[in-house]
């Protein structure tokens, strides 16, 4: 019987078969890897944190998952938040050079819907009938701000204390951020003032707790950031003083915050502060006369020294919000000045390039600091917004005095808080810990 012998072509066929199987397996590996990378990319934003260490109390005690929070928030805020890559760590353009553009998705919360706006800023409830001033969004020239996402902001604040320190302009901003963050809550009753206080300009300290995120948003009144005092003359009459070389007595509260937003400015423009007569002190010496600009510079340097001594830049994030513009016509706040009837921003005129001496001093002081301070330089962006002030709608019963310094809420202060959020998003870094 003849025995079959292997063909000479069999080894060749075996080689081709092995090669084919290898290519097939390699192709499966490549496509699987790409699919996995896409899946990881979808969760990239859940693996980010703001660029300082969490405080010891930063625990996840929320009964709501972060992933469902962010999904719901994206649905509420116009689509998925387009955060840049977490490893970038750089702001892509000057956020403060730009213009206001109309956006029908604004305001970010309905007028009258937020219980944390006090009468002085609640323009619509006080009778303002026009609403076009609410339809403007700040747009930098060189890049786009990420769409504001209230729940994502709260996730970034988890376990932290955000504190705004300054005058009534910072209270303006404080009420705005409470309303913005409230929109990210499923159960709005889990946000409350820890002492039971209602928003009022008569109180100097508020602490709002967001229970599901174990974080607080706080306001501490400080008109000048340095110590206010009184002196008594030989007749026993008291007169106010300002110690340029001593930090505000409430500074002990500031140390405990993870994110601080400072401001001062408007109280330097009127009264004894502006006149500078028998008002400014250094040590025990009371100056009979002193220039207000130099006093502002020395006070700001006192604040800067406090920051350098008391702030840990690895654990705390510091903002200084710049001077916001007033728009009085025909007088000042106490002499018949008006902004009533302004219904849209200014898009031309000398005011758009206005940059007060106080802001030049702020620039100089911050540049000299060793601890990094992020300047929320809102001066020029507020130059446009002559339409955003309460005017005669700062209270339900109008008076002769108009408010053309503060801002309606919702309104311009929302943009300041969007800029804080954008800064945190742009400068985020990847977390080394996994998300549970």
């Amino acid at each position: 019987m003849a025995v079959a012998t292997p063909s000479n072509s069999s080894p060749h066929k075996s080689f081709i078969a092995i090669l084919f199987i290898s290519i097939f397996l390699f192709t499966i590996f490549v496509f699987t890897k790409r699919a996995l990378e896409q899946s990881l990319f979808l969760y990239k934003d859940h693996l980010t944190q703001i660029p300082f260490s969490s405080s010891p109390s930063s625990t996840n005690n929320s009964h709501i998952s972060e992933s469902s929070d962010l999904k719901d928030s994206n649905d509420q805020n116009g689509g998925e938040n387009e955060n840049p890559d977490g490893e970038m760590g750089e702001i892509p353009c000057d956020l403060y050079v730009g213009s206001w553009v109309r956006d029908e998705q604004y305001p970010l919360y309905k007028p009258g819907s937020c219980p944390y706006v006090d009468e002085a800023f609640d323009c619509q409830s006080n009778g303002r009938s026009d609403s076009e001033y609410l339809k403007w969004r700040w747009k930098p020239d060189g890049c786009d701000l990420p769409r504001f996402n209230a729940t994502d902001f709260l996730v970034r604040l988890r376990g932290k204390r955000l504190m705004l320190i300054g005058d009534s302009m910072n209270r303006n901003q404080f009420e705005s951020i409470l309303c913005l963050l409230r929109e990210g809550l499923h159960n709005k009753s889990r946000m409350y003032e820890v002492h039971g206080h209602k928003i009022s300009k008569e109180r100097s300290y508020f602490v709002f707790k967001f229970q599901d995120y174990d974080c607080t948003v706080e306001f501490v009144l400080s008109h000048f950031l340095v110590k206010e005092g009184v002196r008594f003359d030989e007749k026993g009459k008291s007169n106010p003083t300002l110690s340029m070389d001593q930090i505000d007595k409430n500074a002990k509260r500031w140390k405990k915050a993870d994110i601080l937003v400072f401001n001062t400015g408007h109280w330097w423009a009127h009264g004894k502060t502006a006149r500078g007569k028998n008002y400014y002190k250094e040590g025990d010496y009371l100056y009979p006369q002193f220039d207000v600009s130099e006093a502002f510079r020395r006070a700001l340097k006192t604040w800067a020294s406090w920051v350098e001594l008391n702030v840990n830049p690895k654990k705390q994030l510091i903002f200084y919000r710049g001077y916001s513009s007033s728009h009085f016509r025909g007088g000042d706040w106490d002499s018949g000045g008006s902004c009533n009837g302004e219904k849209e921003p200014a898009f031309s005129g000398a005011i758009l390039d206005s940059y007060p001496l106080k802001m030049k001093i702020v620039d100089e002081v911050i540049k000299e600091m060793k601890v990094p301070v992020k300047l929320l330089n809102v001066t020029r962006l507020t130059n446009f917004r002559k339409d955003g002030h309460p005017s005669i709608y700062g209270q339900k019963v109008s008076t002769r005095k108009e408010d053309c310094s503060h801002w309606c809420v919702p309104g311009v202060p929302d943009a300041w808080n969007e800029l804080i959020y954008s800064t945190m998003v742009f400068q985020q870094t990847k977390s080394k810990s996994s998300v549970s």
Side-chain angles (χ1 to χ4, degrees):
M1 178 184 293
V3 179
T5 58
S7 170
N8 292 335
S9 62
S10 293
H12 180 65
K13 290 181 178 178
S14 298
F15 174 78
I16 291 174
I18 292 171
L19 179 62
F20 177 79
I21 293 171
S22 299
I23 292 172
F24 178 75
L25 292 173
F26 179 76
T27 303
I28 292 175
F29 171 76
V30 169
F31 278 98
T32 303
K33 180 175 182 295
R34 288 182 177 177
L36 181 60
E37 287 175 342
Q38 291 296 323
S39 299
L40 289 173
F41 179 79
L42 292 175
Y43 291 94
K44 168 172 70 70
D45 290 339
H46 298 268
L47 302 176
T48 57
Q49 63 179 8
I50 54 178
F52 51 89
S53 304
S54 297
S55 61
S57 62
S58 299
T59 56
N60 185 346
N61 64 350
S62 172
H63 67 281
I64 305 171
S65 70
E66 292 183 11
S67 58
S68 63
D69 281 348
L70 289 169
K71 180 181 182 300
D72 291 344
S73 180
N74 287 330
D75 293 340
Q76 295 168 8
N77 290 278
E80 190 168 349
N81 187 29
E82 297 179 355
N83 291 356
D85 190 282
E87 294 178 341
M88 201 168 77
E90 295 180 359
I91 297 177
C93 73
D94 188 338
L95 303 183
Y96 305 96
V97 176
S99 59
W100 293 88
V101 296
R102 282 190 60 83
D103 191 326
E104 292 302 322
Q105 295 187 45
Y106 277 63
L108 297 172
Y109 50 96
K110 293 180 181 179
S113 67
C114 180
Y116 307 121
V117 182
D118 74 69
E119 183 182 0
F121 310 141
D122 194 2
C123 302
Q124 294 284 302
S125 297
N126 291 340
R128 182 167 179 172
S129 58
D130 64 300
S131 59
E132 293 302 297
Y133 71 97
L134 297 171
K135 299 292 185 181
W136 297 96
R137 170 173 58 85
W138 178 249
K139 167 70 173 70
D141 286 342
C143 62
D144 288 317
L145 298 180
R147 180 67 66 170
F148 186 81
N149 186 315
T151 306
D152 182 44
F153 201 160
L154 285 165
V155 169
R156 295 169 189 275
L157 293 179
R158 189 183 296 280
K160 302 188 185 299
R161 297 177 65 175
L162 168 60
M163 184 178 291
L164 294 94
I165 302 118
D167 56 25
S168 56
M169 295 297 171
N170 253 18
R171 185 168 59 83
N172 220 173
Q173 183 175 2
F174 168 69
E175 294 180 20
S176 161
I177 201 168
L178 292 179
C179 296
L180 286 167
L181 293 177
R182 182 176 180 270
E183 290 297 297
L185 298 177
H186 292 281
N187 184 349
K188 292 177 172 49
S189 68
R190 293 176 68 82
M191 167 190 179
Y192 54 87
E193 209 286 327
V194 298
H195 304 108
H197 299 317
K198 292 184 178 181
I199 290 286
S200 166
K201 61 184 178 181
E202 277 73 40
R203 302 204 70 87
S204 61
Y205 184 47
F206 294 98
V207 181
F208 274 82
K209 178 84 171 181
F210 292 80
Q211 195 168 353
D212 293 327
Y213 297 89
D214 188 29
C215 67
T216 59
V217 177
E218 308 175 31
F219 172 71
V220 181
L221 181 66
S222 179
H223 298 127
F224 303 99
L225 302 180
V226 291
K227 184 179 178 181
E228 297 179 70
V230 293
R231 68 179 182 90
F232 295 91
D233 61 21
E234 60 277 4
K235 297 180 180 179
K237 183 179 179 181
S238 64
N239 289 289
T241 60
L242 193 67
S243 296
M244 300 177 287
D245 58 342
Q246 296 183 47
I247 202 69
D248 188 295
K249 63 182 180 181
N250 288 316
K252 59 182 180 294
R253 296 187 190 272
W254 311 349
K255 294 181 181 181
K256 301 174 183 178
D258 300 283
I259 307 171
L260 298 105
V261 183
F262 292 96
N263 97 290
T264 185
H266 282 269
W267 278 65
W268 296 84
H270 54 80
K272 289 186 71 69
T273 319
R275 291 192 296 271
K277 186 176 181 181
N278 294 320
Y279 181 67
Y280 293 109
K281 290 180 65 177
E282 283 186 311
D284 293 327
Y285 183 72
L286 178 69
Y287 288 93
Q289 187 72 47
F290 202 84
D291 177 69
V292 63
S293 297
E294 180 58 25
F296 180 76
R297 185 190 308 274
R298 295 191 188 186
L300 212 58
K301 286 188 174 182
T302 298
W303 163 80
S305 296
W306 182 90
V307 170
E308 307 250 277
L309 289 171
N310 293 280
V311 166
N312 182 346
K314 294 182 180 179
K315 294 184 177 181
Q316 294 166 287
L317 184 61
I318 313 299
F319 291 92
Y320 182 95
R321 184 184 55 73
Y323 187 81
S324 71
S325 304
S326 299
H327 294 88
F328 289 98
R329 303 186 310 258
D332 210 333
W333 68 277
D334 57 352
S335 57
S338 174
C339 54
N340 188 27
E342 299 288 357
K343 295 184 178 181
E344 64 177 21
F347 291 107
S348 62
I351 190 172
L352 298 186
D353 296 320
S354 174
Y355 199 64
L357 176 59
K358 284 193 289 291
M359 281 309 302
K360 294 175 182 177
I361 294 171
V362 168
D363 289 340
E364 293 169 5
V365 171
I366 288 179
K367 284 178 182 177
E368 293 173 357
M369 295 177 68
K370 295 178 182 178
V371 171
V373 172
K374 300 184 185 304
L375 177 60
L376 282 173
N377 199 347
V378 303
T379 301
R380 289 195 173 96
L381 69 88
T382 57
N383 285 348
F384 291 85
R385 296 307 307 273
K386 59 186 176 68
D387 59 326
H389 300 289
S391 182
I392 62 172
Y393 302 107
Q395 49 191 324
K396 288 181 173 64
V397 180
S398 63
T399 65
R400 291 185 178 181
K401 289 184 181 179
E402 294 188 25
D403 185 351
C404 304
S405 296
H406 297 97
W407 304 92
C408 297
V409 176
V412 173
D414 299 334
W416 308 346
N417 292 316
E418 287 184 84
L419 287 162
I420 289 178
Y421 173 70
S422 297
T423 301
M424 292 168 66
V425 169
F426 284 138
Q427 295 196 332
Q428 68 188 357
T429 57
K430 282 197 173 183
S431 172
K432 294 181 181 179
S433 61
S434 61
V435 178
S436 57

